């Protein structure tokens, strides 16, 4: 494929191409920058995921990002994927304005359902949330997303490996050459700039960014407690709060909570 036409140091760059005469949209990115930010996040919050779950989450982060880059910029996608073996839940979300990626894995207290499931929640602008749920086979987040496209989007979407952390997502557009897309493989993707006519459409940029921080946690707890810290803390001097989107860990002491609440209400 052609080299990127723009540079944005420190950001994940995703390029979108149109395959002429095949009517297929490709989105591609080399995910090393995002994975570096993801591991810095884990180190900051002292999170140590199990190796297999970590690899599966990285694949889901790539899957949702490439999907989001093929969609309107004002759309936010959140995918929750449940696996029976290993018994695991993964979460990943991608927003287009600005480009934000976040996710985490849940390996504890996961209830079996008897089947693998992927839940897709999509919000575009001020529209209501659209939810889809489908079951899938295997242990690959890429295959889960492809099944979601097949059963929910009702069109073909396929993921390919261009390099170790370099992935491509191909989606069928109106009048798509479906047979060609069905028979495309990793080797075909690596040589597609020589065998097909590609037009670059746009370049988007994404960063690992949940938006959670100590202040936001304090804001939420203050609103929830409504001044009654006894019920919130019970007999503890502090609370450990984990962000449901990124797994970020925050230690909130009762003293800090009372001081923050006093500042808010007195201010």
């Amino acid at each position: 494929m052609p080299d990127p036409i723009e540079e944005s140091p420190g950001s994940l760059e995703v390029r979108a191409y149109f395959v002429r005469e095949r009517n297929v949209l490709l989105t591609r990115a080399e995910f090393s920058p995002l994975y570096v930010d993801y591991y810095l996040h884990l180190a900051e919050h002292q999170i140590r995921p199990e190796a297999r779950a970590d690899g599966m989450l990285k694949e889901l982060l790539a899957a949702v990002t490439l999907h989001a880059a093929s969609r309107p910029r004002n759309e936010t996608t959140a995918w929750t994927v449940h696996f029976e073996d290993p018994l695991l839940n993964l979460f990943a979300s991608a927003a287009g304005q600005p480009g934000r990626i976040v996710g985490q894995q849940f390996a504890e207290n996961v209830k079996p359902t008897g089947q693998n499931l992927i839940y897709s929640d999509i919000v575009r602008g001020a529209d209501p949330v659209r939810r889809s749920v489908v079951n899938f086979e295997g242990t690959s987040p890429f295959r889960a997303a492809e099944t979601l496209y097949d059963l929910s989007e009702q069109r073909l979407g396929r993921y390919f490996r261009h390099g170790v952390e370099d992935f491509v997502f191909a989606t069928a557009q109106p009048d798509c050459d479906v047979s060609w897309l069905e028979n495309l493989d990793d080797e075909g993707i690596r040589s597609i700039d020589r065998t097909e006519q590609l037009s670059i459409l746009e370049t988007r940029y994404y960063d690992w960014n949940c938006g959670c921080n100590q202040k936001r946690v304090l804001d939420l707890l203050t609103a929830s407690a409504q001044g009654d810290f006894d019920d919130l803390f019970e007999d503890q001097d502090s609370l450990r709060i984990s962000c449901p989107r990124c797994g970020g860990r925050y230690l909130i002491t009762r003293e800090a909570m009372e001081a923050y609440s006093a500042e808010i209400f007195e201010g």
Side-chain angles (χ1 to χ4, degrees):
M1 292 182 185
D3 291 332
I5 60 175
E6 298 181 54
E7 296 291 338
S8 180
S11 296
L12 175 70
E13 179 184 81
V14 185
R15 285 145 288 151
Y17 303 87
F18 189 74
V19 187
R20 298 180 183 178
E21 300 182 2
R22 304 297 188 183
N23 291 345
V24 170
L25 178 66
L26 304 179
T27 51
R28 176 189 173 189
E30 210 290 332
F31 279 86
S32 298
L34 181 71
Y35 293 156
V36 169
D37 288 343
Y38 162 64
Y39 282 121
L40 289 173
H41 167 77
L42 295 183
E44 178 185 356
H45 293 277
Q46 300 182 351
I47 302 170
R48 298 177 178 82
E50 187 270 330
R52 185 178 184 186
D54 179 61
M56 293 168 73
L57 178 57
K58 288 167 65 179
E59 187 172 298
L60 184 63
L61 291 170
V64 76
T65 303
L66 293 176
H67 158 80
S70 73
R71 302 293 299 170
R73 288 178 179 266
N74 66 338
E75 188 171 281
T76 298
T77 298
W79 287 347
T80 302
V81 188
H82 170 79
F83 294 92
E84 285 289 286
D85 185 17
L87 191 58
L88 175 71
N89 287 344
L90 302 177
F91 169 80
S93 177
Q97 291 180 327
R100 293 181 176 180
I101 309 298
V102 69
Q104 74 158 314
Q105 55 91 13
F106 303 86
E108 299 179 357
N109 303 315
V110 178
K111 296 181 180 180
T113 66
Q115 58 184 335
N116 295 339
L117 295 168
I118 177 169
Y119 300 81
S120 172
D121 293 294
I122 297 175
V123 178
R124 184 184 298 181
D127 294 343
V129 177
R130 293 189 293 113
R131 164 164 280 203
S132 300
V133 184
V134 302
N135 67 296
F136 64 94
E137 301 295 329
T139 59
S140 167
F142 283 157
R143 302 294 84 80
E146 289 176 347
T147 304
L148 180 69
Y149 259 75
D150 184 35
L151 299 181
S152 181
E153 296 279 338
Q154 297 187 338
R155 61 190 174 107
L156 191 59
R158 299 190 61 203
Y159 288 89
F160 301 93
R161 185 180 294 273
H162 196 283
V164 175
E165 293 180 340
D166 187 345
F167 304 108
V168 179
F169 183 44
T171 53
Q173 304 302 303
D175 299 320
C176 169
D177 186 341
V178 175
S179 177
W180 176 83
L181 182 53
E182 287 177 336
N183 288 284
L184 192 61
D185 57 18
D186 289 350
E187 290 302 317
I189 279 290
R190 295 182 187 121
S191 61
I192 197 169
D193 58 329
R194 300 190 300 272
T195 60
E196 302 292 336
Q197 292 184 329
L198 303 183
S199 298
I200 188 161
L201 300 178
E202 65 171 332
T203 303
R204 298 187 188 181
Y205 299 98
Y206 295 84
D207 290 294
W208 176 274
N209 188 340
C210 176
C212 68
N213 53 46
Q214 192 90 354
K215 181 180 181 302
R216 292 196 67 180
V217 173
L218 285 169
D219 284 338
L220 291 171
L221 291 177
T222 299
S224 175
Q226 296 182 339
D228 187 355
F229 299 122
D230 290 335
D231 283 347
L232 182 63
F233 284 89
E234 296 181 342
D235 59 348
Q236 303 296 315
D237 293 327
S238 62
L239 297 174
R240 293 187 180 275
I241 306 296
S242 178
C243 174
R245 290 170 51 82
C246 71
R249 297 171 177 175
Y250 299 94
L251 179 66
I252 307 296
T253 66
R254 178 163 183 155
E255 181 181 5
M257 186 78 186
E258 290 174 343
Y260 184 78
S261 178
E263 179 183 335
I264 292 296
F265 290 110
E266 291 176 6

